[in-house]
Amino acid sequence: MKKLHKLGILTLSTGLSIGLLAPEASAASLLNEQHDKAQIRVIQEEEVVTKKDLIKKFKEFFPNQFDFLKDSDFHMDSGHYFPNDDTVRYGLSFGKIIKGKEVYGSVGFVGDKLEIDQFYYQPANAADALFPAKVTEEKAKEIAQTFLKKFPGNNEYQLDNSYSDYYPDNQTLTEPIRYSFSFVRTKNEVSISDQQIQITVLGNGEVSNFYRNSSDIASSSYDDITKALPKNEIISKIKENISVNLQYRIDYDYQTGDRHVKLVYQPISEVLGVHALSGKWQTINGLSTEPPKQKEIERISSQPIKPAQTNFSLKEAKAFAEKLLKVDSDKIKLRIESVDETKNHNGQEVISVQYMYEYHNGGSGTSLELDKKTGEIIQYHDMKNDILGEIGTNEEEGNRISSKEALNQAVKYLKQFSPSYLHNYAMPTGEAYFSNETNSFHLSFPRVVNGILVSGNEISVTISADGSLQGLNVNQSSIENWPSIEKVISKDKATDEFFKQLSLELQYVKAEAGADNNHYSLVYTPVFNKNLYSFLDANTGEWNSNTDKKSDQPVVSHPWAEKELNHLINNGILNIEDVNTFNADAQVTKGAAIEVIVKSLTPFYGYYDENNTSQTFGNINPDHPLYQVIERAVVLGILEGENTTFDPNERLTKEELAVWYVRTLGLEQAAKNQNIYKLDFADAKDVQAKNTGFVALAHSLGLLPATNNNFNPKQEVTYAQLAVSDVLLAHEAYKKGRYMNYYGF
């Protein structure tokens, strides 16, 4: 091993809240969890690795593909390693302007052989990767499988068909289509849970990024598969010890900021699996001879606790933050950057305190969130220990408190910092999870409504091994109407359905925690309805999963716009109430059209705008369902506030759509020079003089073509026409480099 001189921590670890297992939590997700690791910089080593060495390795891996990059286009990051891992890693990034567009990317190298373990690439032009993509998902899979051959031991990997690259937000039409695939390493034809290669292929067939777990498993030991217990024995064991319970499930709509509550049945258990050889239970803290006992619901506080204050000021918030965030070190300076009243993603009125810790070789900052009325903590992460570790002045680790002591400490801090919330939350249903990487306990206190646990709302608390508070987050969605339990199917019926759809997946996992553990155990993981993330709708008895891949499977039909319409619908860009009654040839309203344009060209997260106090049109106030969309369109210059009102129910004409499209492309000033344009359409006289340039440009760019030499400016636009022309608009925006973000271009 090389002799390394180490300096500081570059990036900070994050916590993991465990307790009530939400539908997204499972054996696979917990065992495969890729924690952010603290990077420790290497400032000296016996063998010097140069930028030229890395560039050579990179171009050998991608022969001829990146020959257009010169050495000066690359930047090398300093060597670093991760705690409990003496493998040195290096980074290489590159960037270049080609024909006015930027090419950029990054590469990660690992070990003495400088093997590439991660790669990201953004090409200068990916127009043929936009919808409709040049290559299909099936063709992209073939490309990924061919690319896999670049890696050593590639014949040991197999495609993971259960992998879901799930994005909750809509993908805009100006973003390239991406197909992601995961390949898992196998031993004895059994997958190794933490040995995966993920490859992403753009819609034009280019590999844009990949990541592979680069840990050395050559010296690892494995359970003998021939000694595995029979599956039917394990299934019987699981059925006897897993309880299927009714829950409220909160799903968040990232496009609108809305929350939807449904009643579901889901197993609530700390059991992640069963050891295939011994029959022991696999839990979040390792193997156990006894199954974790399901605890009864016990509220943190049986009665509401009055907050210490009911009228918290900004001045008091700053004073509280200064006391809470204080660091006993003359090498670190705390700077409060701002104290503002705002709303958080749950719609709560809060005081946000932005702050920085400054020190000699850098600085780090984040925010503290307090309840606006009471001053109670809503969101807090203690960075002090991380910062002290970075500058090398943190104290050595002492004795670790017990799990029970960590729970007691968590409750103590909750009663001190967030008391008024506690009567709505229950004690953890399972044990605290201890992370060796962060040296801390993670506890989750689930919300309780009508005596039912709420999946998706919890108080998360992180307690350091010495008992100090490392993090506190109160997640409480504002829900007015909770679904009634009157019409749900019975627990017995739900349990029968779960057991009928129960199967087992055999995996090699590191069942026992610990940095020195290099043994892979065979574990049977329970899977319901062939999906790790399935749940049962308590009202309909139907199976659901929020990790289903998006697709362009037809939901509506049309002779010439079907492909475009279905893509917009499946991506949440075009919202329709009922696909069975939807008429694509019906005239679209201005409100529906502007929503499609905005959502197809810009990422849209409704809650980001909750503090927007502007109101361009008198009849579109913040309570209007299209308020956020319309105000965004004004910010982007698509709509202008020359009128006092905007009628979202009015039909949209082709001429008006031409004006919107040209404004979107930033060509409004050119279009206003109407005297330089001549319209050769037979119905040119029907175009308003002030819109001559807009119509001419929209036609010449192919966005809104004429039919039989008639532009038909007064024709009311249909959904089908909007869908087809909107896709063309997105391609033109991409070609012109008109990339829109939330605030504009």
Side-chain angles (χ1 to χ4, degrees), residues 406-700:
L407 175 59
N408 291 337
Q409 284 292 98
V411 173
K412 184 189 77 172
Y413 288 123
L414 286 174
K415 290 182 177 179
Q416 178 183 354
F417 292 120
S418 307
S420 69
Y421 292 91
L422 304 188
H423 64 289
N424 290 321
Y425 291 82
M427 298 292 285
T429 58
E431 297 298 319
Y433 166 70
F434 183 79
S435 168
N436 287 283
E437 291 188 356
T438 62
N439 197 36
S440 57
F441 294 91
H442 305 276
L443 303 100
S444 181
F445 299 80
R447 187 177 180 181
V448 182
V449 175
N450 300 328
I452 301 172
L453 296 178
V454 180
S455 175
N457 265 192
E458 63 285 315
I459 297 178
S460 303
V461 182
T462 304
I463 302 295
S464 176
D466 63 5
S468 60
L469 179 64
Q470 279 196 339
L472 194 163
N473 182 67
V474 179
N475 185 7
Q476 180 171 290
S477 300
S478 178
I479 306 293
E480 293 184 2
N481 299 312
W482 294 87
S484 170
I485 64 173
E486 292 182 0
K487 297 182 180 180
V488 300
I489 62 175
S490 68
K491 179 177 179 177
D492 288 342
K493 184 176 180 179
T495 300
D496 289 342
E497 179 63 20
F498 267 91
F499 287 171
K500 185 171 66 175
Q501 297 296 332
L502 170 61
S503 60
L504 297 178
E505 180 179 332
L506 190 60
Q507 289 182 305
Y508 276 115
V509 304
K510 289 187 176 180
E512 294 290 354
D516 298 329
N517 177 33
N518 205 25
H519 178 74
Y520 285 92
S521 301
L522 272 172
V523 171
Y524 282 116
T525 301
V527 178
F528 299 97
N529 196 40
K530 300 179 181 180
N531 189 316
L532 285 167
Y533 311 101
S534 288
F535 57 89
L536 202 66
D537 188 303
N539 288 299
T540 66
E542 297 178 349
W543 287 98
N544 284 285
S545 172
N546 277 11
T547 61
D548 294 336
K549 288 185 177 181
K550 294 176 183 176
S551 70
D552 280 336
Q553 294 298 317
V555 292
V556 298
S557 60
H558 193 269
W560 48 266
E562 180 174 308
K563 182 168 56 177
E564 291 85 355
L565 285 165
N566 283 299
H567 184 77
L568 296 182
I569 292 170
N570 288 324
N571 276 272
I573 295 173
L574 172 58
N575 293 314
I576 59 178
E577 293 184 3
D578 187 351
V579 296
N580 296 316
T581 60
F582 174 69
N583 180 10
D585 292 320
Q587 286 75 31
V588 66
T589 64
K590 288 184 177 180
I594 199 64
E595 183 176 18
V596 166
I597 295 171
V598 168
K599 288 185 175 180
S600 65
L601 299 177
T602 75
F604 193 82
Y605 308 94
Y607 69 80
Y608 282 176
D609 274 348
E610 287 184 356
N611 297 304
N612 185 4
T613 57
S614 63
Q615 183 177 336
T616 304
F617 303 102
N619 64 318
I620 309 294
N621 59 40
D623 294 328
H624 194 283
L626 288 176
Y627 170 76
Q628 303 291 357
V629 166
I630 290 172
E631 290 300 327
R632 176 84 62 84
V634 173
V635 170
L636 298 175
I638 304 172
L639 295 181
E640 291 185 341
E642 68 272 14
N643 298 320
T644 57
T645 61
F646 175 85
D647 186 357
N649 298 314
E650 185 180 355
R651 304 297 185 187
L652 177 69
T653 68
K654 190 176 180 181
E655 180 179 343
E656 290 170 325
L657 185 59
V659 174
W660 285 4
Y661 280 175
V662 171
R663 286 176 180 170
T664 299
L665 296 174
L667 300 175
E668 181 175 9
Q669 293 305 314
K672 285 183 175 179
N673 295 321
Q674 61 192 57
N675 294 330
I676 67 174
Y677 300 99
K678 181 181 179 181
L679 300 179
D680 294 327
F681 310 126
D683 57 355
K685 65 180 184 305
D686 296 333
V687 177
Q688 295 183 63
K690 67 176 182 179
N691 292 333
T692 299
F694 292 95
V695 170
L697 287 173
H699 175 264
S700 65

Side-chain angles (χ1 to χ4, degrees), residues 673-733:
N673 295 321
Q674 61 192 57
N675 294 330
I676 67 174
Y677 300 99
K678 181 181 179 181
L679 300 179
D680 294 327
F681 310 126
D683 57 355
K685 65 180 184 305
D686 296 333
V687 177
Q688 295 183 63
K690 67 176 182 179
N691 292 333
T692 299
F694 292 95
V695 170
L697 287 173
H699 175 264
S700 65
L701 292 171
L703 303 178
L704 297 170
T707 304
N708 298 324
N709 199 33
N710 283 290
F711 185 77
N712 300 313
K714 306 307 178 186
Q715 180 188 68
E716 293 179 345
V717 179
T718 67
Y719 281 95
Q721 292 170 334
L722 175 67
V724 172
S725 62
D726 188 51
V727 171
L728 296 173
L729 173 71
H731 278 256
E732 193 66 28

Side-chain angles (χ1 to χ4, degrees), residues 259-432:
R259 286 158 180 77
H260 306 283
V261 185
K262 62 182 69 173
L263 278 164
V264 304
Y265 278 105
Q266 184 77 24
I268 300 180
S269 174
E270 299 299 300
V271 173
L272 303 180
V274 179
H275 187 214
L277 273 61
S278 67
K280 291 183 178 180
W281 299 95
Q282 170 68 27
T283 72
I284 58 176
N285 288 311
L287 296 175
S288 172
T289 55
E290 296 294 327
K293 294 182 179 179
Q294 185 64 42
K295 300 178 181 179
E296 297 294 327
I297 295 177
E298 177 191 356
R299 294 182 186 267
I300 305 174
S301 174
S302 59
Q303 298 295 327
I305 302 175
K306 290 185 178 180
Q309 300 193 56
T310 56
N311 188 18
F312 202 61
S313 68
L314 295 179
K315 182 178 180 181
E316 289 172 315
K318 183 178 180 182
F320 175 83
E322 289 173 336
K323 182 178 179 181
L324 178 69
L325 304 173
K326 181 181 178 182
V327 181
D328 294 327
S329 172
D330 56 4
K331 297 182 179 180
I332 301 174
K333 180 182 179 181
L334 170 67
R335 188 178 80 229
I336 304 295
E337 296 191 309
S338 65
V339 182
D340 299 306
E341 295 180 0
T342 183
K343 284 186 179 181
N344 65 8
H345 68 283
N346 278 323
Q348 291 175 284
E349 292 187 343
V350 299
I351 295 176
S352 177
V353 181
Q354 303 286 333
Y355 64 93
M356 282 283 296
Y357 286 119
E358 298 176 338
Y359 39 94
H360 70 280
N361 61 338
S364 298
T366 185
S367 62
L368 167 70
E369 210 170 84
L370 306 174
D371 189 301
K372 179 182 174 181
K373 294 181 180 179
T374 66
E376 295 174 317
I377 291 179
I378 301 296
Q379 186 274 323
Y380 165 65
H381 170 66
D382 182 11
M383 299 177 63
K384 294 191 285 288
N385 288 336
D386 298 324
I387 301 299
L388 290 171
E390 183 162 346
I391 65 175
T393 60
N394 57 330
E395 298 179 359
E396 294 184 3
E397 297 177 3
N399 294 329
R400 189 176 104 185
I401 64 174
S402 67
S403 176
K404 183 178 180 180
E405 290 171 325
L407 175 59
N408 291 337
Q409 284 292 98
V411 173
K412 184 189 77 172
Y413 288 123
L414 286 174
K415 290 182 177 179
Q416 178 183 354
F417 292 120
S418 307
S420 69
Y421 292 91
L422 304 188
H423 64 289
N424 290 321
Y425 291 82
M427 298 292 285
T429 58
E431 297 298 319

